[in-house]
Amino acid sequence: MPGKNLSREEARDRAAIIRVESYRVHLDVSAAADPGRPTFRSTTRISFDCAEPGATGFADLLAPEVVSVELNGIALDVAEVFDGARVTLPVLAAHNRLTVVAECAYSRTGEGLHRFVDPVDGETYLYTHYEPADARRVFANFEQPDLKAPFTFTVTAPAAWDVYANAVHERITEEGAARTWEFAPTRPISTYLTAVVAGPYHVVRDHYTRELPDGTLLEIPLAATCRRSLAPHFDADEILTVTKQGLDYFHQEFDYPYPFGKYDQCFVPEYNIGAMENPGCVTFREEFVFRSKVTEAAYESRANVILHEMAHMWFGDLVTMKWWDDLWLKESFADFMGSYAQIAAGTEYRSAWITFANRRKAWAYRQDQFPTTHPITADIRDLEDAKLNFDGITYAKGASVLKQLVAYVGPEAFFEGARAYFRKHAFGNTVLEDLLDALEETGGRDLRAWAAAWLQTSGVNTLTPEVTCDAEGRITELAVRQDGAPLRPHRIAVGLYDRGADGALVRTDRYELDVAGERTVVAGAAGRELPALVLVNDDDLTYCKVRFDEHSLETLRTGLGDLADGTGPDGGSTPSLARALAWSAVWNLTRDGLMPTRDYLDLVLRFAGRESDVGVLQSLHQQAATALAVYADPAHRAEYGAALAECALRELSQAAPGSDHQLAWARFLADTAERADHLRLLRGLLDGTGRIDGLDVDQELRWSFWLALAAHGAATAEELAAELARDHTASGRRQQTQCLAALPVPDAKAAAWAAVVDSDELPNALVEAQIAGFNRAGQRELTAPYAAPYFELLESVWAERSIEIAMRIVGGFFPRYQTTPRTLAATDAWLDAHPDAAPALRRLVLECRDDLARALRAQECDAR
């Protein structure tokens, strides 16, 4: 498989004969501020050994021009050895020195070395992002995770800039209008983990000190950076507080000193993902720098990501998977630790497991029911497969299974196994068996059967309570039925809930047990009076979909909001995990076409206003919007939408002034407003003629209101231009772009389509904004003409665009709101006619097809 798409077999063959001694990389970005310079000079020197002298090998490089290639002192003919993606290395010696000089391209897609110009002050910013295989866009290398080596970076940049990399800088040399930064060698790391960040970044510095068990002092310099124009909004103290709490906790639990020297956290523009765990130089999307009011859920999410990336310093950076099959060895662990550590490390965010149950697992359940689902330990044939496997299974299902494993072997055995794993495999690469060996040794359990059931099979089980009672209403038997193949072992809790004196539903009994096979009896429940509610998987110990017996489901229909909040360690009220689990369960019933959409929306209308956890509330808003857009019977869609908008207006007026809940309901009103009086209210809040006590209509909320007005034809392009002049920032430009694409006129849709499809000039952030504005649920008639052209462009988009942009086009422009059998037939026709299309492309289309078929089933259920 020649070209960009490195296969697993090629990587395995190369790793069998190549051992990399070191890299020295020099990047000259001194002219980066000149928009007329599309490339930068990259010089790479690699020292490596070959176990089979005389063999032919190859290095990876994606560059518009290679200036020279020298192998062991001999200049090679560039035209002969470079094909645009690989550098052929003929007749390797036992020890080799390779030097490649290239002109590499600045990126606008977030892949490789991304260049961004701040519209506020004209300053230029650079950062790299590589996972899984884009380091080859910046320097020549052996682009696979199991060929680790020390890296020494040297960067020449404008004199006014700062430069950050994985290691500390050792020397800075002035060279007129430029400075050259020389960094210390890193410890052995994989190519995808290297990083360079450069520009006039605002920086806040701090220091972390810890005494190690042997009495030595561990000192870690800390830094947090963002663009200068965002500095007034940068709450670095809060970020660094969570950072220190995490470092304290992970040192305590992992008992392995942080191995990468410094710890920089760089918040960068137009970032494609949440964050990336580059050792010593973690990069985050700058939307985590909040320039307007956000809810506590946003701060909790940011803390989770900070701890997630920090966990990677051990799970992923210190010990790395051999190939992307075992991607879960880092991502599942980091996803689990991000939630676990929020509570265990003593951060102020105490709702981590509620958020995990309600949001992260929803992602996993959706992904695991696609026809393209895969085991947590996946079969990754090539790099395109790897790119798509950064999904809900690798992250959230894997984290759920680890939570189950901790319940199965116990926390102490789990963490002691992790310590042994780090000590044995430090700076190396591992596979599943290496982790199982460590956990079996400390936990004393045979985990092979457990791993086979949980890690090496796909699909989600369903657990349903079966309750039989006698004539007096006492339980004669309570059992848990397991459906779905394969049947798995589950450690679960079953909670029984009844109404207290105040009418709240409170847990009166809890049974913890192992579920195995099709049916498991809950010992000890017989003889107890029938409770109001039986909640399987109480405390969310396992990964499963939960169903209810009819009596319990009727209790939820009339009293889901009555599930009581808990009491925290400080005596204060804490949001109810049980209520979050109930919301998750009824959402899965709706998605599966087992609960009519009208019933789910009725639950939202009646009980969302009583939800104390604002993160759960915001999830309910998103899910209600999805239910309305694609699961509702079209004949009743307008009726349901009007009811949701009225609910949003009512709850907005009743919410505590200035509260997170008030802000959440204001945003939901913007999402649901359709009637003229609702739109007039939004405009009044924008121009100051309207007011809601305590609601600060700041810049981000203004754009939410403008988007609602634009989508309903109640805003003009001139008004949106005026708002951009008010908010002449990168965020403002994205928001205005989305609003213009959302205008309900054919010209707006044609312009958005052409901007993305007919040109490759837009940066990633604006591609995303154009697609979001184009494909709106309430504009089905306007976007219907683009369904046929969508299927016609798929193969050319996949072949001609970078995979990041291709994925956005394929997923974003799919006609998901044309929820008709005709669209389903068109999708099937494309799949039938293109059996040999790229597997990753077919996977994306298959997943869109499955969402569409699910929507049609839900609509049928709602129409009955």
Side-chain angles (χ1 to χ4, degrees):
M1 187 184 296
K4 298 179 184 179
N5 196 11
L6 180 73
S7 73
R8 178 175 50 203
E9 287 70 26
E10 288 177 308
R12 184 182 299 142
D13 291 345
R14 183 162 62 178
I17 65 170
I18 297 296
R19 187 188 68 81
V20 187
E21 180 182 287
S22 67
Y23 285 87
R24 297 190 66 88
V25 179
H26 178 231
L27 306 179
D28 185 349
V29 295
S30 56
D34 179 358
R37 294 287 295 272
T39 63
F40 58 93
R41 177 62 60 94
S42 168
T43 304
T44 308
R45 295 177 175 87
I46 313 174
S47 295
F48 64 99
D49 294 335
C50 176
E52 297 180 4
T56 297
F58 66 93
D60 301 292
L61 178 65
L62 298 176
E65 179 187 355
V66 171
V67 178
S68 64
V69 177
E70 183 180 287
L71 178 63
N72 297 327
I74 300 172
L76 305 182
D77 185 336
V78 171
E80 290 185 5
V81 299
F82 181 61
D83 65 1
R86 297 182 178 185
V87 179
T88 300
L89 307 177
V91 195
L92 292 172
H95 181 71
N96 302 271
R97 292 188 180 278
L98 171 67
T99 301
V100 179
V101 180
E103 288 291 321
C104 294
Y106 292 108
S107 166
R108 296 306 311 277
T109 66
E111 302 155 292
L113 181 61
H114 188 86
R115 178 167 60 178
F116 171 85
V117 179
D118 191 337
V120 174
D121 54 18
E123 294 284 7
T124 299
Y125 293 87
L126 306 178
Y127 65 86
T128 59
H129 178 71
Y130 298 148
E131 191 174 42
D134 282 321
R136 56 191 171 149
R137 295 181 183 273
V138 177
F139 59 93
N141 60 59
F142 300 114
E143 188 81 286
Q144 57 191 80
D146 58 345
L147 290 179
K148 285 186 167 184
F151 287 80
T152 301
F153 280 93
T154 304
V155 180
T156 301
W161 287 14
D162 286 332
V163 181
Y164 305 84
N166 301 98
V168 297
H169 67 267
E170 293 185 324
R171 184 169 57 178
I172 302 175
T173 305
E174 298 282 348
E175 302 172 1
R179 291 193 295 178
T180 295
W181 297 64
E182 299 180 44
F183 293 89
T186 70
R187 302 298 296 271
I189 57 177
S190 303
T191 53
Y192 78 91
L193 291 168
T194 60
V196 170
V197 175
Y201 283 90
H202 168 75
V203 61
V204 177
R205 299 191 184 277
D206 204 337
H207 206 79
Y208 174 83
T209 303
R210 181 181 182 85
E211 185 176 343
L212 299 177
D214 64 3
T216 60
L217 208 60
L218 176 68
E219 306 238 8
I220 305 175
L222 307 178
T225 77
C226 70
R227 286 186 290 128
R228 285 181 181 172
S229 63
L230 285 177
H233 310 290
F234 195 37
D235 55 339
D237 289 346
E238 163 68 13
I239 290 165
L240 292 168
T241 294
V242 174
T243 302
K244 294 176 184 178
Q245 290 171 326
L247 287 170
D248 268 338
Y249 178 70
F250 288 131
H251 278 102
Q252 170 190 312
E253 289 296 344
F254 293 162
D255 193 28
Y256 192 106
Y258 172 72
F260 299 110
K262 67 184 178 68
Y263 200 81
D264 298 339
Q265 295 175 100
C266 303
F267 293 78
V268 298
E270 297 184 333
Y271 205 46
N272 284 327
I273 60 174
M276 181 63 204
E277 67 270 17
N278 317 305
C281 189
V282 184
T283 41
F284 296 81
R285 64 185 299 117
E286 70 177 17
E287 283 76 10
F288 284 126
V289 179
F290 306 123
R291 65 189 198 122
S292 294
K293 178 180 172 60
V294 296
T295 67
E296 183 180 5
Y299 288 98
E300 179 200 287
S301 175
R302 184 178 67 183
N304 180 289
V305 175
I306 289 170
L307 295 171
H308 174 119
E309 304 309 325
M310 189 179 293
H312 272 311
M313 298 299 127
W314 290 266
F315 282 112
D317 295 0
L318 176 65
V319 183
T320 312
M321 70 277 156
K322 283 189 177 179
W323 178 249
W324 302 101
D325 292 344
D326 282 307
L327 175 63
W328 78 282
L329 280 174
K330 69 184 190 77
E331 294 302 348
S332 297
F333 278 87
D335 214 48
F336 169 73
M337 292 306 308
S339 296
Y340 193 94
Q342 273 186 274
I343 296 171
T347 75
E348 65 180 276
Y349 308 107
R350 314 302 294 169
S351 298
W353 289 123
I354 293 173
T355 303
F356 183 81
N358 194 254
R359 296 177 71 93
R360 298 299 285 180
K361 291 181 79 169
W363 181 28
Y365 294 143
R366 176 175 178 264
Q367 192 79 44
D368 210 10
Q369 294 176 86
F370 282 143
T372 57
T373 187
H374 58 86
I376 295 171
T377 298
D379 178 23
I380 303 300
R381 297 161 295 186
D382 53 44
L383 291 177
E384 287 191 0
D385 276 358
K387 184 73 173 178
L388 268 62
N389 263 46
F390 289 82
D391 61 17
I393 294 171
T394 301
Y395 283 76
K397 180 180 179 179
S400 303
V401 169
L402 289 177
K403 188 179 183 185
Q404 172 75 174
L405 178 61
V406 172
Y408 185 63
V409 303
E412 183 51 43
F414 175 81
F415 283 109
E416 184 52 42
R419 294 171 203 133
Y421 177 73
F422 298 142
R423 288 192 295 268
K424 183 174 182 179
H425 301 289
F427 303 106
N429 297 85
T430 57
V431 293
L432 167 64
E433 287 72 19
D434 297 314
L435 179 68
L436 296 182
D437 287 344
L439 293 175
E440 286 178 342
E441 185 173 340
T442 58
R445 285 190 183 229
D446 182 354
L447 295 178
R448 307 297 154 153
W450 179 91
W454 278 109
L455 302 177
Q456 297 171 323
T457 61
S458 60
V460 56
N461 298 120
T462 300
L463 301 184
T464 306
E466 295 183 337
V467 188
T468 56
C469 296
D470 60 20
E472 285 75 37
R474 292 188 175 275
I475 295 174
T476 56
E477 184 181 76
L478 171 59
V480 177
R481 188 182 77 246
Q482 179 178 186
D483 296 301
L487 301 179
R488 298 185 176 95
H490 299 262
R491 183 70 179 173
I492 67 165
V494 176
L496 307 187
Y497 289 75
D498 266 319
R499 293 195 179 276
D502 60 355
L505 285 167
V506 296
R507 187 165 69 190
T508 58
D509 296 273
R510 180 183 183 276
Y511 305 93
E512 191 165 322
L513 67 151
D514 290 322
V515 168
E518 293 183 4
R519 196 169 187 275
T520 305
V521 174
V522 181
R528 192 233 187 264
E529 289 187 6
L530 179 67
L533 170 67
V534 178
L535 180 59
V536 173
N537 196 32
D538 206 358
D539 297 324
D540 198 34
L541 297 182
T542 194
Y543 171 80
C544 68
K545 289 194 295 184
V546 169
R547 302 296 195 222
F548 300 100
D549 62 280
E550 283 302 320
H551 179 70
S552 296
L553 188 55
E554 186 56 35
T555 296
L556 292 177
R557 290 182 193 280
T558 58
L560 190 157
D562 297 333
L563 280 161
D565 283 346
T567 301
D570 59 357
S573 177
T574 61
S576 168
L577 177 58
R579 198 169 57 239
L581 292 170
W583 279 118
S584 174
V586 296
W587 175 241
N588 279 319
L589 286 169
T590 307
R591 291 191 72 247
D592 291 346
L594 300 176
M595 173 181 279
T597 302
R598 60 182 178 275
D599 289 359
Y600 175 77
L601 293 177
D602 182 62
L603 290 171
V604 172
L605 292 170
R606 297 172 64 191
F607 300 123
R610 295 168 59 181
E611 180 51 58
S612 60
D613 187 281
V614 72
V616 173
L617 176 62
Q618 289 174 298
S619 289
L620 295 178
H621 289 163
Q622 292 170 1
Q623 290 166 356
T626 298
L628 176 67
V630 295
Y631 297 156
D633 177 7
H636 297 286
R637 199 177 279 140
E639 170 193 341
Y640 298 164
L644 286 174
E646 281 299 309
C647 173
L649 184 60
R650 181 182 69 250
E651 296 296 340
L652 173 60
S653 65
Q654 296 176 359
S659 66
D660 283 359
H661 283 64
Q662 183 187 55
L663 177 59
W665 283 110
R667 289 176 175 166
F668 191 52
L669 177 62
D671 289 340
T672 55
E674 291 191 2
R675 281 193 346 216
D677 56 329
H678 295 156
L679 297 174
R680 281 196 298 272
L681 171 61
L682 297 183
R683 182 169 281 279
L685 291 170
L686 282 169
D687 63 22
T689 60
R691 184 175 181 275
I692 294 176
D693 187 29
L695 183 66
D696 178 16
V697 185
D698 56 25
Q699 190 58 62
E700 291 301 315
L701 193 55
R702 289 182 64 83
W703 279 118
S704 295
F705 292 169
W706 278 117
L707 179 60
L709 294 170
H712 290 90
T716 65
E718 291 74 21
E719 288 176 316
L720 297 174
E723 189 67 22
L724 178 61
R726 171 194 176 105
D727 180 29
H728 188 60
T729 64
S731 177
R733 184 172 56 184
R734 292 194 300 270
Q735 301 275 18
Q736 186 222 21
T737 296
Q738 182 175 350
C739 289
L740 289 172
L743 290 171
V745 293
D747 285 352
K749 301 306 172 189
W753 177 272
V756 174
V757 172
D758 297 343
S759 171
D760 199 14
E761 295 301 313
L762 285 183
N764 51 344
L766 294 187
V767 168
E768 184 177 347
Q770 292 280 14
I771 293 173
F774 174 92
N775 212 0
R776 296 187 60 84
Q779 299 176 345
R780 290 172 172 82
E781 292 184 3
L782 282 168
T783 56
Y786 294 89
Y790 166 83
F791 290 108
E792 293 167 1
L793 64 81
L794 287 176
E795 286 190 296
S796 62
V797 160
W798 198 259
E800 296 167 8
R801 300 297 183 89
S802 74
I803 191 168
E804 186 68 43
I805 299 301
M807 287 170 60
R808 294 186 187 209
I809 294 173
V810 173
F813 276 139
F814 182 82
R816 62 173 46 84
Y817 298 125
Q818 310 300 324
T819 46
T820 66
R822 181 179 177 181
T823 310
L824 188 65
T827 310
D828 287 338
W830 185 89
L831 289 165
D832 290 343
H834 298 84
D836 298 323
L841 170 59
R842 283 184 56 84
R843 172 177 166 174
L844 288 172
V845 177
L846 276 166
E847 291 176 355
C848 291
R849 189 254 182 224
D850 192 73
D851 275 338
L852 179 61
R854 181 179 292 273
L856 290 172
R857 292 193 298 271
Q859 288 181 14
E860 290 175 7
C861 174
D862 195 42
R864 290 198 288 269

Tab-separated table of all heavy atoms in Angstrom, residues 384-403:
chain	number	residue	atom	x	y	z
A	384	GLU	N	-5.715	5.487	7.778
A	384	GLU	CA	-7.077	5.983	7.633
A	384	GLU	C	-7.991	5.335	8.657
A	384	GLU	O	-8.846	5.998	9.250
A	384	GLU	CB	-7.586	5.759	6.210
A	384	GLU	CG	-6.960	6.698	5.190
A	384	GLU	CD	-7.664	6.641	3.837
A	384	GLU	OE1	-8.635	5.869	3.688
A	384	GLU	OE2	-7.227	7.360	2.931
A	385	ASP	N	-7.828	4.050	8.882
A	385	ASP	CA	-8.571	3.390	9.954
A	385	ASP	C	-8.271	4.045	11.295
A	385	ASP	O	-9.164	4.276	12.110
A	385	ASP	CB	-8.189	1.905	10.037
A	385	ASP	CG	-8.962	1.036	9.056
A	385	ASP	OD1	-9.816	1.566	8.326
A	385	ASP	OD2	-8.702	-0.174	9.023
A	386	ALA	N	-6.994	4.308	11.529
A	386	ALA	CA	-6.586	4.892	12.811
A	386	ALA	C	-7.266	6.236	13.028
A	386	ALA	O	-7.735	6.537	14.131
A	386	ALA	CB	-5.077	5.043	12.862
A	387	LYS	N	-7.341	7.068	11.993
A	387	LYS	CA	-7.939	8.394	12.121
A	387	LYS	C	-9.389	8.301	12.574
A	387	LYS	O	-9.849	9.081	13.417
A	387	LYS	CB	-7.852	9.116	10.784
A	387	LYS	CG	-8.363	10.551	10.806
A	387	LYS	CD	-7.430	11.477	11.523
A	387	LYS	CE	-7.866	12.925	11.391
A	387	LYS	NZ	-6.984	13.854	12.127
A	388	LEU	N	-10.125	7.325	12.062
A	388	LEU	CA	-11.535	7.201	12.392
A	388	LEU	C	-11.778	6.537	13.740
A	388	LEU	O	-12.888	6.582	14.266
A	388	LEU	CB	-12.280	6.425	11.297
A	388	LEU	CG	-12.896	7.290	10.184
A	388	LEU	CD1	-11.843	8.048	9.423
A	388	LEU	CD2	-13.746	6.453	9.253
A	389	ASN	N	-10.758	5.900	14.300
A	389	ASN	CA	-10.965	5.184	15.548
A	389	ASN	C	-10.748	6.035	16.786
A	389	ASN	O	-10.779	5.516	17.900
A	389	ASN	CB	-10.081	3.933	15.614
A	389	ASN	CG	-10.864	2.696	15.200
A	389	ASN	OD1	-11.567	2.719	14.196
A	389	ASN	ND2	-10.774	1.655	15.976
A	390	PHE	N	-10.558	7.331	16.603
A	390	PHE	CA	-10.614	8.241	17.747
A	390	PHE	C	-12.094	8.548	17.988
A	390	PHE	O	-12.586	9.637	17.695
A	390	PHE	CB	-9.813	9.518	17.441
A	390	PHE	CG	-8.328	9.287	17.418
A	390	PHE	CD1	-7.707	8.781	16.286
A	390	PHE	CD2	-7.561	9.553	18.532
A	390	PHE	CE1	-6.336	8.573	16.255
A	390	PHE	CE2	-6.187	9.337	18.516
A	390	PHE	CZ	-5.572	8.841	17.385
A	391	ASP	N	-12.804	7.549	18.499
A	391	ASP	CA	-14.262	7.604	18.528
A	391	ASP	C	-14.806	7.257	19.911
A	391	ASP	O	-14.054	7.062	20.869
A	391	ASP	CB	-14.852	6.675	17.449
A	391	ASP	CG	-14.464	5.209	17.653
A	391	ASP	OD1	-14.020	4.834	18.756
A	391	ASP	OD2	-14.619	4.422	16.693
A	392	GLY	N	-16.134	7.172	19.991
A	392	GLY	CA	-16.784	6.936	21.269
A	392	GLY	C	-16.481	5.592	21.885
A	392	GLY	O	-16.637	5.421	23.098
A	393	ILE	N	-16.046	4.637	21.080
A	393	ILE	CA	-15.694	3.325	21.630
A	393	ILE	C	-14.317	3.383	22.269
A	393	ILE	O	-14.116	2.962	23.417
A	393	ILE	CB	-15.758	2.258	20.523
A	393	ILE	CG1	-17.212	2.090	20.060
A	393	ILE	CG2	-15.196	0.935	21.018
A	393	ILE	CD1	-17.371	1.226	18.849
A	394	THR	N	-13.352	3.914	21.530
A	394	THR	CA	-11.983	3.986	22.041
A	394	THR	C	-11.909	4.862	23.287
A	394	THR	O	-11.150	4.564	24.211
A	394	THR	CB	-11.060	4.533	20.947
A	394	THR	OG1	-11.136	3.669	19.805
A	394	THR	CG2	-9.629	4.603	21.425
A	395	TYR	N	-12.674	5.931	23.324
A	395	TYR	CA	-12.651	6.830	24.472
A	395	TYR	C	-13.660	6.391	25.536
A	395	TYR	O	-13.289	5.884	26.588
A	395	TYR	CB	-12.956	8.263	24.027
A	395	TYR	CG	-11.815	8.975	23.355
A	395	TYR	CD1	-11.454	8.680	22.042
A	395	TYR	CD2	-11.104	9.976	23.996
A	395	TYR	CE1	-10.416	9.353	21.416
A	395	TYR	CE2	-10.059	10.655	23.384
A	395	TYR	CZ	-9.724	10.333	22.090
A	395	TYR	OH	-8.686	10.988	21.467
A	396	ALA	N	-14.946	6.635	25.278
A	396	ALA	CA	-15.945	6.540	26.338
A	396	ALA	C	-16.319	5.098	26.691
A	396	ALA	O	-16.489	4.774	27.868
A	396	ALA	CB	-17.189	7.326	25.932
A	397	LYS	N	-16.463	4.211	25.701
A	397	LYS	CA	-16.738	2.816	26.053
A	397	LYS	C	-15.528	2.225	26.774
A	397	LYS	O	-15.680	1.526	27.782
A	397	LYS	CB	-17.068	1.977	24.818
A	397	LYS	CG	-17.366	0.517	25.172
A	397	LYS	CD	-17.697	-0.340	23.956
A	397	LYS	CE	-17.956	-1.790	24.365
A	397	LYS	NZ	-18.306	-2.648	23.206
A	398	GLY	N	-14.344	2.493	26.263
A	398	GLY	CA	-13.151	1.995	26.926
A	398	GLY	C	-13.052	2.489	28.350
A	398	GLY	O	-12.705	1.733	29.275
A	399	ALA	N	-13.362	3.773	28.573
A	399	ALA	CA	-13.335	4.314	29.932
A	399	ALA	C	-14.397	3.654	30.805
A	399	ALA	O	-14.163	3.379	31.989
A	399	ALA	CB	-13.544	5.819	29.887
A	400	SER	N	-15.570	3.389	30.247
A	400	SER	CA	-16.628	2.705	31.001
A	400	SER	C	-16.190	1.310	31.414
A	400	SER	O	-16.463	0.857	32.536
A	400	SER	CB	-17.894	2.602	30.139
A	400	SER	OG	-18.330	3.859	29.708
A	401	VAL	N	-15.524	0.635	30.506
A	401	VAL	CA	-15.061	-0.723	30.801
A	401	VAL	C	-13.963	-0.689	31.863
A	401	VAL	O	-13.892	-1.570	32.733
A	401	VAL	CB	-14.589	-1.405	29.500
A	401	VAL	CG1	-13.848	-2.695	29.790
A	401	VAL	CG2	-15.796	-1.679	28.601
A	402	LEU	N	-13.114	0.337	31.830
A	402	LEU	CA	-12.109	0.463	32.882
A	402	LEU	C	-12.759	0.740	34.227
A	402	LEU	O	-12.294	0.248	35.266
A	402	LEU	CB	-11.117	1.564	32.533
A	402	LEU	CG	-10.157	1.240	31.390
A	402	LEU	CD1	-9.280	2.444	31.086
A	402	LEU	CD2	-9.284	0.041	31.730
A	403	LYS	N	-13.816	1.527	34.237
A	403	LYS	CA	-14.552	1.738	35.490
A	403	LYS	C	-15.095	0.414	36.003
A	403	LYS	O	-15.062	0.126	37.200
A	403	LYS	CB	-15.684	2.738	35.265
A	403	LYS	CG	-16.386	3.164	36.547
A	403	LYS	CD	-17.480	4.181	36.286
A	403	LYS	CE	-18.111	4.628	37.601
A	403	LYS	NZ	-19.256	5.540	37.401
